[in-house]
mmCIF file of all heavy atoms in Angstrom:
data_model
loop_
_atom_site.group_PDB
_atom_site.id
_atom_site.type_symbol
_atom_site.label_atom_id
_atom_site.label_comp_id
_atom_site.label_asym_id
_atom_site.label_seq_id
_atom_site.Cartn_x
_atom_site.Cartn_y
_atom_site.Cartn_z
ATOM 1 N N ALA X 1 18.645 19.195 -48.725
ATOM 2 C CA ALA X 1 19.885 18.676 -48.155
ATOM 3 C C ALA X 1 19.817 17.162 -47.973
ATOM 4 O O ALA X 1 20.769 16.438 -48.297
ATOM 5 C CB ALA X 1 20.175 19.359 -46.816
ATOM 6 N N LEU X 2 18.695 16.674 -47.462
ATOM 7 C CA LEU X 2 18.551 15.234 -47.266
ATOM 8 C C LEU X 2 18.513 14.506 -48.598
ATOM 9 O O LEU X 2 19.109 13.430 -48.756
ATOM 10 C CB LEU X 2 17.284 14.935 -46.462
ATOM 11 C CG LEU X 2 16.976 13.462 -46.199
ATOM 12 C CD1 LEU X 2 18.141 12.772 -45.502
ATOM 13 C CD2 LEU X 2 15.705 13.309 -45.372
ATOM 14 N N ARG X 3 17.838 15.095 -49.568
ATOM 15 C CA ARG X 3 17.761 14.457 -50.885
ATOM 16 C C ARG X 3 19.154 14.308 -51.490
ATOM 17 O O ARG X 3 19.503 13.259 -52.053
ATOM 18 C CB ARG X 3 16.859 15.266 -51.817
ATOM 19 C CG ARG X 3 16.633 14.586 -53.179
ATOM 20 C CD ARG X 3 15.567 15.278 -53.997
ATOM 21 N NE ARG X 3 15.948 16.629 -54.405
ATOM 22 C CZ ARG X 3 15.436 17.756 -53.892
ATOM 23 N NH1 ARG X 3 14.515 17.692 -52.944
ATOM 24 N NH2 ARG X 3 15.828 18.928 -54.326
ATOM 25 N N THR X 4 19.969 15.332 -51.352
ATOM 26 C CA THR X 4 21.335 15.277 -51.879
ATOM 27 C C THR X 4 22.152 14.191 -51.170
ATOM 28 O O THR X 4 22.891 13.429 -51.807
ATOM 29 C CB THR X 4 22.029 16.636 -51.708
ATOM 30 O OG1 THR X 4 21.296 17.622 -52.436
ATOM 31 C CG2 THR X 4 23.461 16.582 -52.226
ATOM 32 N N ALA X 5 22.002 14.115 -49.844
ATOM 33 C CA ALA X 5 22.734 13.095 -49.082
ATOM 34 C C ALA X 5 22.307 11.692 -49.494
ATOM 35 O O ALA X 5 23.143 10.783 -49.619
ATOM 36 C CB ALA X 5 22.508 13.309 -47.594
ATOM 37 N N LEU X 6 21.006 11.496 -49.697
ATOM 38 C CA LEU X 6 20.511 10.185 -50.107
ATOM 39 C C LEU X 6 20.988 9.818 -51.507
ATOM 40 O O LEU X 6 21.343 8.666 -51.773
ATOM 41 C CB LEU X 6 18.978 10.165 -50.042
ATOM 42 C CG LEU X 6 18.354 10.237 -48.647
ATOM 43 C CD1 LEU X 6 16.837 10.350 -48.754
ATOM 44 C CD2 LEU X 6 18.728 9.015 -47.818
ATOM 45 N N LEU X 7 21.008 10.784 -52.388
ATOM 46 C CA LEU X 7 21.496 10.523 -53.744
ATOM 47 C C LEU X 7 22.951 10.074 -53.728
ATOM 48 O O LEU X 7 23.331 9.128 -54.425
ATOM 49 C CB LEU X 7 21.341 11.784 -54.604
ATOM 50 C CG LEU X 7 19.917 12.132 -55.047
ATOM 51 C CD1 LEU X 7 19.873 13.532 -55.660
ATOM 52 C CD2 LEU X 7 19.399 11.110 -56.050
ATOM 53 N N ASP X 8 23.763 10.748 -52.903
ATOM 54 C CA ASP X 8 25.179 10.373 -52.814
ATOM 55 C C ASP X 8 25.328 8.961 -52.248
ATOM 56 O O ASP X 8 26.144 8.169 -52.730
ATOM 57 C CB ASP X 8 25.920 11.368 -51.920
ATOM 58 C CG ASP X 8 26.051 12.745 -52.566
ATOM 59 O OD1 ASP X 8 25.884 12.826 -53.799
ATOM 60 O OD2 ASP X 8 26.310 13.717 -51.839
ATOM 61 N N ALA X 9 24.535 8.652 -51.208
ATOM 62 C CA ALA X 9 24.642 7.341 -50.562
ATOM 63 C C ALA X 9 24.217 6.224 -51.503
ATOM 64 O O ALA X 9 24.872 5.172 -51.595
ATOM 65 C CB ALA X 9 23.799 7.318 -49.299
ATOM 66 N N VAL X 10 23.119 6.424 -52.212
ATOM 67 C CA VAL X 10 22.605 5.392 -53.108
ATOM 68 C C VAL X 10 23.543 5.173 -54.289
ATOM 69 O O VAL X 10 23.801 4.038 -54.698
ATOM 70 C CB VAL X 10 21.191 5.767 -53.582
ATOM 71 C CG1 VAL X 10 20.739 4.847 -54.697
ATOM 72 C CG2 VAL X 10 20.204 5.690 -52.433
ATOM 73 N N ALA X 11 24.073 6.274 -54.825
ATOM 74 C CA ALA X 11 25.008 6.141 -55.939
ATOM 75 C C ALA X 11 26.236 5.354 -55.521
ATOM 76 O O ALA X 11 26.786 4.561 -56.289
ATOM 77 C CB ALA X 11 25.397 7.521 -56.456
ATOM 78 N N GLY X 12 26.653 5.527 -54.258
ATOM 79 C CA GLY X 12 27.797 4.781 -53.753
ATOM 80 C C GLY X 12 27.533 3.310 -53.575
ATOM 81 O O GLY X 12 28.460 2.521 -53.427
ATOM 82 N N SER X 13 26.243 2.910 -53.572
ATOM 83 C CA SER X 13 25.872 1.501 -53.431
ATOM 84 C C SER X 13 25.668 0.824 -54.775
ATOM 85 O O SER X 13 25.199 -0.315 -54.834
ATOM 86 C CB SER X 13 24.589 1.383 -52.596
ATOM 87 O OG SER X 13 24.800 1.895 -51.303
ATOM 88 N N GLY X 14 25.977 1.544 -55.860
ATOM 89 C CA GLY X 14 25.901 0.925 -57.179
ATOM 90 C C GLY X 14 24.606 1.168 -57.934
ATOM 91 O O GLY X 14 24.355 0.512 -58.936
ATOM 92 N N TRP X 15 23.786 2.101 -57.465
ATOM 93 C CA TRP X 15 22.544 2.423 -58.152
ATOM 94 C C TRP X 15 22.718 3.698 -58.978
ATOM 95 O O TRP X 15 23.460 4.599 -58.596
ATOM 96 C CB TRP X 15 21.405 2.640 -57.155
ATOM 97 C CG TRP X 15 20.938 1.402 -56.463
ATOM 98 C CD1 TRP X 15 21.627 0.676 -55.539
ATOM 99 C CD2 TRP X 15 19.682 0.754 -56.626
ATOM 100 N NE1 TRP X 15 20.881 -0.397 -55.105
ATOM 101 C CE2 TRP X 15 19.668 -0.376 -55.758
ATOM 102 C CE3 TRP X 15 18.553 0.999 -57.391
ATOM 103 C CZ2 TRP X 15 18.588 -1.234 -55.659
ATOM 104 C CZ3 TRP X 15 17.477 0.151 -57.296
ATOM 105 C CH2 TRP X 15 17.493 -0.966 -56.445
ATOM 106 N N GLN X 16 21.997 3.800 -60.081
ATOM 107 C CA GLN X 16 21.893 5.052 -60.815
ATOM 108 C C GLN X 16 20.720 5.822 -60.214
ATOM 109 O O GLN X 16 19.581 5.360 -60.263
ATOM 110 C CB GLN X 16 21.652 4.788 -62.300
ATOM 111 C CG GLN X 16 21.498 6.059 -63.125
ATOM 112 C CD GLN X 16 21.193 5.751 -64.582
ATOM 113 O OE1 GLN X 16 21.485 4.668 -65.060
ATOM 114 N NE2 GLN X 16 20.587 6.704 -65.268
ATOM 115 N N ALA X 17 20.991 6.970 -59.618
ATOM 116 C CA ALA X 17 19.981 7.658 -58.825
ATOM 117 C C ALA X 17 19.660 9.044 -59.390
ATOM 118 O O ALA X 17 20.540 9.750 -59.893
ATOM 119 C CB ALA X 17 20.451 7.792 -57.378
ATOM 120 N N GLU X 18 18.385 9.427 -59.302
ATOM 121 C CA GLU X 18 17.931 10.781 -59.611
ATOM 122 C C GLU X 18 16.978 11.204 -58.509
ATOM 123 O O GLU X 18 16.362 10.365 -57.830
ATOM 124 C CB GLU X 18 17.233 10.838 -60.973
ATOM 125 C CG GLU X 18 18.166 10.585 -62.150
ATOM 126 C CD GLU X 18 17.490 10.869 -63.479
ATOM 127 O OE1 GLU X 18 16.725 11.863 -63.567
ATOM 128 O OE2 GLU X 18 17.709 10.086 -64.417
ATOM 129 N N GLY X 19 16.845 12.520 -58.331
ATOM 130 C CA GLY X 19 16.017 13.034 -57.255
ATOM 131 C C GLY X 19 14.956 13.995 -57.727
ATOM 132 O O GLY X 19 15.049 14.581 -58.810
ATOM 133 N N ALA X 20 13.923 14.141 -56.905
ATOM 134 C CA ALA X 20 12.839 15.084 -57.174
ATOM 135 C C ALA X 20 12.268 15.536 -55.840
ATOM 136 O O ALA X 20 12.257 14.769 -54.866
ATOM 137 C CB ALA X 20 11.754 14.442 -58.037
ATOM 138 N N ALA X 21 11.792 16.788 -55.796
ATOM 139 C CA ALA X 21 11.205 17.320 -54.567
ATOM 140 C C ALA X 21 9.793 16.806 -54.352
ATOM 141 O O ALA X 21 9.299 16.793 -53.226
ATOM 142 C CB ALA X 21 11.212 18.847 -54.598
ATOM 143 N N SER X 22 9.129 16.372 -55.425
ATOM 144 C CA SER X 22 7.765 15.858 -55.326
ATOM 145 C C SER X 22 7.508 14.935 -56.503
ATOM 146 O O SER X 22 8.290 14.896 -57.467
ATOM 147 C CB SER X 22 6.743 17.005 -55.339
ATOM 148 O OG SER X 22 6.751 17.656 -56.606
ATOM 149 N N LEU X 23 6.409 14.199 -56.433
ATOM 150 C CA LEU X 23 6.066 13.324 -57.550
ATOM 151 C C LEU X 23 5.784 14.116 -58.814
ATOM 152 O O LEU X 23 6.077 13.675 -59.925
ATOM 153 C CB LEU X 23 4.839 12.473 -57.182
ATOM 154 C CG LEU X 23 5.101 11.281 -56.264
ATOM 155 C CD1 LEU X 23 3.806 10.584 -55.920
ATOM 156 C CD2 LEU X 23 6.077 10.301 -56.898
ATOM 157 N N GLN X 24 5.201 15.300 -58.644
ATOM 158 C CA GLN X 24 4.911 16.139 -59.805
ATOM 159 C C GLN X 24 6.198 16.559 -60.515
ATOM 160 O O GLN X 24 6.219 16.780 -61.718
ATOM 161 C CB GLN X 24 4.125 17.388 -59.381
ATOM 162 C CG GLN X 24 2.681 17.119 -58.975
ATOM 163 C CD GLN X 24 2.575 16.403 -57.637
ATOM 164 O OE1 GLN X 24 3.475 16.506 -56.802
ATOM 165 N NE2 GLN X 24 1.498 15.663 -57.423
ATOM 166 N N GLY X 25 7.278 16.647 -59.749
ATOM 167 C CA GLY X 25 8.540 17.059 -60.349
ATOM 168 C C GLY X 25 9.446 15.910 -60.703
ATOM 169 O O GLY X 25 10.615 16.112 -61.008
ATOM 170 N N SER X 26 8.936 14.683 -60.647
ATOM 171 C CA SER X 26 9.778 13.519 -60.934
ATOM 172 C C SER X 26 10.104 13.446 -62.417
ATOM 173 O O SER X 26 9.291 13.844 -63.260
ATOM 174 C CB SER X 26 9.092 12.230 -60.475
ATOM 175 O OG SER X 26 7.870 12.056 -61.152
ATOM 176 N N PRO X 27 11.295 12.935 -62.781
ATOM 177 C CA PRO X 27 11.758 12.958 -64.171
ATOM 178 C C PRO X 27 10.907 12.161 -65.147
ATOM 179 O O PRO X 27 10.656 12.603 -66.246
ATOM 180 C CB PRO X 27 13.173 12.373 -64.076
ATOM 181 C CG PRO X 27 13.586 12.582 -62.657
ATOM 182 C CD PRO X 27 12.322 12.463 -61.859
ATOM 183 N N THR X 28 10.485 10.962 -64.779
ATOM 184 C CA THR X 28 9.733 10.123 -65.716
ATOM 185 C C THR X 28 8.694 9.324 -64.961
ATOM 186 O O THR X 28 8.515 9.477 -63.766
ATOM 187 C CB THR X 28 10.677 9.142 -66.453
ATOM 188 O OG1 THR X 28 11.411 8.392 -65.485
ATOM 189 C CG2 THR X 28 11.662 9.879 -67.345
ATOM 190 N N ASP X 29 8.000 8.436 -65.676
ATOM 191 C CA ASP X 29 6.959 7.638 -65.035
ATOM 192 C C ASP X 29 7.569 6.538 -64.179
ATOM 193 O O ASP X 29 8.738 6.176 -64.316
ATOM 194 C CB ASP X 29 6.041 7.019 -66.098
ATOM 195 C CG ASP X 29 6.779 6.014 -66.960
ATOM 196 O OD1 ASP X 29 7.664 6.438 -67.743
ATOM 197 O OD2 ASP X 29 6.494 4.823 -66.835
ATOM 198 N N ALA X 30 6.729 5.978 -63.274
ATOM 199 C CA ALA X 30 7.202 5.014 -62.281
ATOM 200 C C ALA X 30 7.784 3.762 -62.914
ATOM 201 O O ALA X 30 8.733 3.178 -62.386
ATOM 202 C CB ALA X 30 6.055 4.643 -61.338
#
């Protein structure tokens, strides 16, 4: 729930945002 809220907030600030539950599940490298 918090991750979804943060994604919405960041996207509203002009960032392209993606989320992950852990680093192991992150989409790409840092």
Side-chain angles (χ1 to χ4, degrees):
L2 179 56
R3 185 171 66 253
T4 299
L6 292 174
L7 286 169
D8 290 342
V10 170
S13 298
W15 290 69
Q16 179 183 338
E18 293 189 39
S22 66
L23 282 177
Q24 288 72 25
S26 61
T28 55
D29 66 292

